[in-house]
């Protein structure tokens, strides 16, 4: 059985995360190790419920089943989650390695941000005479961001110019905060600094864009620097002067450290990887590197990327339409499974969708709640293949995490993503060997769209069921529990549509009038009258058992006869008459007394132009029968 390492982070720092994972996986070529990445996409501005729903995926693994845990803190800046993961790792007795942040109970893998930042400051001053600086920081609790800021402060202090750090803005890693700050700075009328140093390349690019929008040019009016040396920042115009933190080397160092720890070797608690400051166009170094060559390469790749994105979006549209077209949870499971069986090119031969068992139950009962913490012991398997082998069972033990996983064969990277709406847990999906899709945010789009359509389906089906139940209540007679006049009006419209289309549909209308209801009410009370109506209705339903029966008035009922009841209408009328009590005006009436006048008329295609024509004849026949029953005239 292979060793297993759990990695916890968010996917927003996708490019550096993918480099880190590549470095880790490469070090395990001689080892037998699978990496399980628990990935989500919370932000600082999300609601508390949304953050809970996203980071619930961290609760899926039982770390006692793992051989090590890694926290990629350059992506995970939520301290409460970091503390929980470290505590669980301690309880499981496995080593915990942190990248980008130090913790006294974890091994540390980091980059030398401090020295690289001082090199950046020295370059800005010596090459470009840039002295006055504004620093756009990340979050207050980010080790990397704080080290970078400290390096700037120490450099200026050594130069006896501490006041040249004009301002510090904590963006919480949100580009929108950088935009807001730069806009306000420009509107204030203050002179621009010589340079903006931004805690990552994303903030740097946003700073350039916002300065341009305010009429300033970079690097002419101000220089801008960042960190991470992202692909996007290298092809950006101007290309961003940045610190390459060598994340792939950090990932390799993490893999080596875990290997030594697994062998029982005593290791230093801290491993530092050197960084490199790389000048670029945004600091007015146009000749330092050939950014145009990178731009041309990306331009050549644009067509392939666009085609892949188009195919990807088309697949998501198929998923959306398949799910939203389903009228029941069972149909949803069947149709979605069929879709993936026929087309899983994007997902590959190892892909899994597992839903909470109460996801389906909650559709049909509003009192059933979805989990908000952790995952149920048994999960519903919507679709699951591992190495192309389909998992046949309807449910799966979530403790095992991956249906069909054997822990043998080549090393793999498994990526787990949560499905949820706010803090309502729907389940999770698992991809395999998809570092590039982590990098280009395809997985984030996939997770977000899948969660959204599941929520739409759940609410739409729940609302549809509620509406159907309300309509059923509205169309049901509360006393006899048969259809009411409103229901018959809908039935009449349907029958009329058949007549309008010249259909030769065979149907008949049976009209019923309950005799002596007033006598029962007056002599025995309305409760007895209600019982009499129910008893009479039951008899009609028992005889015309294949036809819908409607209560259309206080003592009037109607049945639409079709099929066997239509073919046997005369025999059924005789059967009904044989079961009736003799007509009587004398009280007290027997306890099982039932007297009903019935008239039946069939639709005549050659002369009837409306349902009302059929109803009118049936009504006339019913009154003729009623008169005969009362002895007022003889039957013809």
């Amino acid at each position: 059985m292979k060793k297993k390492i759990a990695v916890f982070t968010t996917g927003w720092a996708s490019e550096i995360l993918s480099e880190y994972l590549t470095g880790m996986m490469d070090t395990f070529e001689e080892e037998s190790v699978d990496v399980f990445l628990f990935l989500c996409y919370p932000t600082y501005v999300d609601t508390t419920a949304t953050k809970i729903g996203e980071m619930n995926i961290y609760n899926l693994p039982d770390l006692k089943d793992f051989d090590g845990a890694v926290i990629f803190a350059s992506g995970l800046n939520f301290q409460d989650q970091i503390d929980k993961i470290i505590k669980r790792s301690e309880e499981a007795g496995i080593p915990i390695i942190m990248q980008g942040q130090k913790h006294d109970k974890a091994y540390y893998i980091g980059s030398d941000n401090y020295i690289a930042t001082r090199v950046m400051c020295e370059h800005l001053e010596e090459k470009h005479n840039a002295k006055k600086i504004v620093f756009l920081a990340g979050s207050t609790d980010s080790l990397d961001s704080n080290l970078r800021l400290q390096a700037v402060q120490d450099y200026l202090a050594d130069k006896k110019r501490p006041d040249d750090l004009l301002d510090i803005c904590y963006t919480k890693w949100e580009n929108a905060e950088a935009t807001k700050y730069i806009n306000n700075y420009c509107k204030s009328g203050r002179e621009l600094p010589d340079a903006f140093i931004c805690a990552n390349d994303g903030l740097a690019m946003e700073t350039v864009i916002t300065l341009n929008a305010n009429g300033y040019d970079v690097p002419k009016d101000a220089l801008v620097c960042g960190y991470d040396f992202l692909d996007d920042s290298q092809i950006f115009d101007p290309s961003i002067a940045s610190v390459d933190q060598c994340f792939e080397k950090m990932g390799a160092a993490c893999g080596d450290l875990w290997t030594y720890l697994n062998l029982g070797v005593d290791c230093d608690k801290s491993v530092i990887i050197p960084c490199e400051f790389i000048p670029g166009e945004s600091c007015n170094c146009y000749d330092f590197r050939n950014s145009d060559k990178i731009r041309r390469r990306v331009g050549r790749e644009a067509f392939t990327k666009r085609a892949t994105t188009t195919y990807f979006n088309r697949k998501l549209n198929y998923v959306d339409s398949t799910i939203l077209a389903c009228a029941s949870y069972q149909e949803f499971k069947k149709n979605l499974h069929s879709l993936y069986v026929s087309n899983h090119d994007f997902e590959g031969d190892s892909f899994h969708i597992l839903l909470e068992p109460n996801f389906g139950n909650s559709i049909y009962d509003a009192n059933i709640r979805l989990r908000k913490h952790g995952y149920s012991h048994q999960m519903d398997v919507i679709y699951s293949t591992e190495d192309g082998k389909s998992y046949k069972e309807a449910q799966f033990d979530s403790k095992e995490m991956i249906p069909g996983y054997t822990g043998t064969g080549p090393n793999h990277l498994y990526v787990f993503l949560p499905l949820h709406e706010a803090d309502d847990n729907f389940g999770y999906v698992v991809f395999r060997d998809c570092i590039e899709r982590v990098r280009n945010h395809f997985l984030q789009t996939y997770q977000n769209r899948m969660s959204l359509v599941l929520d739409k389906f759940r609410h739409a089906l729940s609302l549809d069921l509620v509406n159907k139940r309300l309509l059923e209540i509205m169309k049901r007679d509360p006393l006899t529990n048969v259809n009411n006049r409103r229901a018959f009006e809908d039935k009449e419209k349907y029958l009329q549509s058949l007549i309008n289309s010249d259909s030769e549909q065979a149907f008949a209308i049976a009209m019923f009038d309950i005799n002596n209801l007033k006598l029962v009410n007056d002599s025995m009370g309305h409760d007895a009258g209600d019982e009499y109506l129910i008893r009479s209705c039951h008899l009609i339903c028992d005889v015309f058992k294949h036809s819908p029966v409607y209560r259309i008035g206080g003592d009037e009922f109607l049945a639409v006869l079709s099929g066997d009841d239509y073919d046997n209408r005369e025999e059924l009328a005789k059967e009904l008459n044989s079961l009736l009590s003799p007509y009587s005006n004398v009280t007290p009436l027997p306890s099982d007394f039932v007297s009903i006048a019935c008239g039946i008329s069939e639709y005549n295609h050659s002369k009837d132009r409306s349902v009302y024509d059929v109803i009118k004849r049936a009504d006339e026949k019913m009154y003729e029968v009623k008169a005969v029953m009362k002895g007022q005239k003889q039957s013809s």
Side-chain angles (χ1 to χ4, degrees):
M1 179 69 78
K2 285 189 285 188
K3 301 292 186 179
K4 297 193 299 184
I5 298 176
V7 179
F8 300 90
T9 191
T10 72
W12 294 119
S14 59
E15 188 173 317
I16 59 177
L17 171 61
S18 63
E19 292 174 5
Y20 192 85
L21 292 169
T22 298
M24 273 187 68
M25 298 297 294
D26 286 348
T27 62
F28 297 142
E29 286 184 356
E30 303 301 321
E31 305 290 331
S32 185
V33 180
D34 281 338
V35 174
F36 291 66
L37 173 62
F38 300 94
L39 190 66
C40 55
Y41 295 85
T43 67
Y44 283 104
V45 297
D46 283 337
T47 64
T48 299
T50 297
K51 293 174 187 174
I52 290 172
E54 282 288 323
M55 291 185 280
N56 186 48
I57 195 67
Y58 300 154
N59 298 315
L60 176 62
D62 182 347
L63 294 183
K64 294 184 179 68
D65 298 330
F66 285 79
D67 301 285
V70 174
I71 297 175
F72 186 74
S74 287
L76 181 55
N77 297 301
F78 296 92
Q79 191 59 48
D80 59 332
Q81 292 294 327
I82 290 174
D83 292 339
K84 289 176 184 177
I85 294 167
I86 290 177
K87 182 179 179 181
R88 289 165 56 200
S89 300
E90 271 195 298
E91 292 171 348
I94 60 173
I96 176 77
I97 300 171
M98 285 191 67
Q99 174 279 334
Q101 182 174 323
K102 291 184 177 179
H103 195 288
D104 58 359
K105 295 180 180 178
Y107 291 89
Y108 172 68
I109 300 287
S111 57
D112 196 349
N113 281 273
Y114 186 87
I115 292 177
T117 301
R118 291 190 64 114
V119 171
M120 175 194 292
C121 293
E122 186 175 301
H123 173 86
L124 292 174
E125 182 174 1
E126 293 184 359
K127 297 293 184 181
H128 307 293
N129 197 33
K131 298 179 179 180
K132 297 185 182 298
I133 294 170
V134 167
F135 191 89
L136 271 64
S139 58
T140 56
D141 57 357
S142 168
L143 175 63
D144 283 347
S145 178
N146 289 335
L147 278 174
R148 296 161 190 170
L149 174 58
Q150 188 64 54
V152 173
Q153 292 171 325
D154 290 349
Y155 175 83
L156 293 176
D158 290 346
K159 294 290 184 177
K160 312 299 184 186
R161 304 194 328 268
D163 292 341
D164 278 354
L165 180 57
L166 303 183
D167 207 356
I168 303 167
C169 170
Y170 286 95
T171 65
K172 297 183 178 180
W173 307 106
E174 295 287 342
N175 287 348
E177 288 298 315
T179 301
K180 181 179 176 181
Y181 174 81
I182 299 296
N183 282 333
N184 289 337
Y185 194 104
C186 294
K187 290 177 183 176
S188 71
R190 297 167 62 189
E191 184 179 353
L192 288 182
D194 298 323
F196 290 90
I197 298 179
C198 306
N200 66 22
D201 285 348
L203 294 171
M205 290 184 281
E206 190 67 27
T207 297
V208 173
I209 291 170
T210 309
L211 286 171
N212 288 163
N214 282 276
Y216 295 103
D217 177 77
V218 175
K220 178 181 177 182
D221 297 314
L223 309 183
V224 175
C225 296
Y227 291 80
D228 298 336
F229 198 52
L230 300 179
D231 284 352
D232 283 347
S233 76
Q234 294 177 53
I235 63 172
F236 189 74
D237 184 21
S239 61
I240 300 298
S242 184
V243 172
D244 184 354
Q245 297 191 78
C246 306
F247 280 97
E248 192 166 332
K249 291 181 180 179
M250 272 197 275
C254 177
D256 288 337
L257 176 57
W258 176 85
T259 301
Y260 293 138
L261 292 172
N262 186 58
L263 293 172
V265 177
D266 288 335
C267 299
D268 291 337
K269 291 285 289 187
S270 180
V271 178
I272 305 298
I273 303 299
C275 294
E276 181 185 1
F277 172 65
I278 303 176
E281 295 167 354
S282 69
C283 75
N284 210 22
C285 288
Y286 280 84
D287 297 328
F288 193 86
R289 64 183 197 246
N290 191 348
S291 299
D292 284 343
K293 182 178 180 180
I294 301 173
R295 291 171 183 139
R296 287 194 295 272
R297 174 179 60 81
V298 173
R300 286 196 302 270
E301 295 169 352
F303 173 77
T304 301
K305 183 177 180 180
R306 185 169 64 250
T308 302
T309 302
T310 299
Y311 168 76
F312 172 60
N313 288 329
R314 185 180 298 131
K315 175 58 181 289
L316 291 180
N317 290 337
Y318 287 150
V319 173
D320 287 357
S321 59
T322 297
I323 292 176
L324 294 177
C326 296
S328 70
Y329 183 58
Q330 292 303 317
E331 184 182 359
F332 155 79
K333 291 198 294 184
K334 177 184 176 183
N335 291 358
L336 191 59
H337 181 270
S338 297
L339 172 66
Y340 283 110
V341 168
S342 63
N343 180 0
H344 52 265
D345 292 344
F346 176 83
E347 295 79 8
D349 287 336
S350 293
F351 175 68
H352 313 268
I353 304 175
L354 299 110
L355 295 188
E356 282 288 325
N358 274 350
F359 177 82
N361 293 335
S362 65
I363 293 173
Y364 299 97
D365 189 341
N367 295 314
I368 294 176
R369 301 298 181 184
L370 289 163
R371 291 181 68 108
K372 298 183 182 294
H373 179 82
Y375 292 81
S376 296
H377 179 61
Q378 292 291 322
M379 303 289 289
D380 281 356
V381 179
I382 304 303
Y383 176 83
S384 175
T385 60
E386 182 69 7
D387 290 321
K389 296 178 181 177
S390 179
Y391 189 80
K392 301 298 184 183
E393 302 297 324
Q395 288 196 315
F396 169 75
D397 189 340
S398 63
K399 189 176 187 297
E400 302 297 324
M401 293 188 298
I402 303 173
Y405 177 76
T406 61
T408 60
N411 294 343
H412 294 295
L413 169 69
Y414 291 92
V415 182
F416 297 78
L417 297 149
L419 298 173
H420 70 100
E421 166 57 27
D423 55 358
D424 283 338
N425 172 19
F426 295 166
Y428 63 93
V429 293
V430 188
F431 288 84
R432 194 178 83 177
D433 299 334
C434 52
I435 287 181
E436 184 57 33
R437 288 169 184 172
V438 172
R439 187 184 187 95
N440 60 25
H441 284 283
F442 274 16
L443 294 192
Q444 188 267 337
T445 303
Y446 200 103
Q447 173 231 13
N448 184 60
R449 283 279 294 272
M450 179 70 79
S451 292
L452 182 62
V453 73
L454 287 174
D455 186 55
K456 283 184 176 180
F457 166 72
R458 178 168 164 261
H459 284 293
L461 193 53
S462 295
L463 184 60
D464 184 56
L465 289 169
V466 169
N467 287 336
K468 285 178 179 177
R469 287 167 184 163
L470 288 174
L471 286 172
E472 185 177 335
I473 291 170
M474 291 171 60
K475 295 180 180 181
R476 184 72 53 179
D477 176 51
L479 177 64
T480 62
N481 204 36
V482 296
N483 302 300
N484 62 15
R485 175 177 285 276
R486 184 189 294 270
F488 177 67
E489 289 171 354
D490 289 344
K491 183 69 171 180
E492 184 178 8
K493 291 175 185 175
Y494 171 71
L495 293 173
Q496 186 62 49
S497 71
L498 297 178
I499 294 173
N500 294 344
S501 60
D502 291 327
S503 169
E504 296 189 12
Q505 177 78 18
F507 73 89
I509 299 293
M511 297 292 296
F512 307 91
D513 188 85
I514 311 302
N515 295 323
N516 301 116
L517 177 60
K518 185 176 185 306
L519 178 64
V520 174
N521 283 333
D522 291 345
S523 62
M524 303 175 64
H526 285 277
D527 288 344
D530 288 346
E531 291 177 6
Y532 178 42
L533 279 172
I534 294 171
R535 192 163 64 247
S536 302
C537 180
H538 284 175
L539 180 58
I540 295 170
C541 293
D542 287 344
V543 173
F544 299 92
K545 58 175 60 73
H546 302 298
S547 302
V549 176
Y550 305 83
R551 185 184 180 194
I552 58 173
D555 56 2
E556 292 183 337
F557 292 81
L558 178 152
V560 178
L561 311 183
S562 59
D564 290 344
D565 281 5
Y566 175 82
D567 295 337
N568 302 316
R569 58 191 178 279
E570 294 181 2
E571 290 81 359
L572 293 176
K574 292 177 181 178
E575 180 184 346
L576 177 67
N577 287 332
S578 71
L579 298 172
L580 298 176
S581 305
Y583 184 86
S584 175
N585 282 322
V586 179
T587 58
L589 296 170
S591 59
D592 61 349
F593 178 81
V594 175
S595 179
I596 303 172
C598 172
I600 299 176
S601 177
E602 56 275 356
Y603 165 63
N604 188 322
H605 178 262
S606 63
K607 68 176 184 179
D608 290 328
R609 292 293 173 264
S610 70
V611 180
Y612 178 73
D613 294 337
V614 186
I615 294 172
K616 184 178 179 182
R617 287 199 306 275
D619 199 47
E620 290 170 351
K621 289 183 179 181
M622 182 268 290
Y623 276 107
E624 290 178 4
V625 172
K626 192 175 188 73
V628 170
M629 295 178 76
K630 289 183 176 183
Q632 293 177 348
K633 76 178 198 178
Q634 299 297 316
S635 175
S636 57

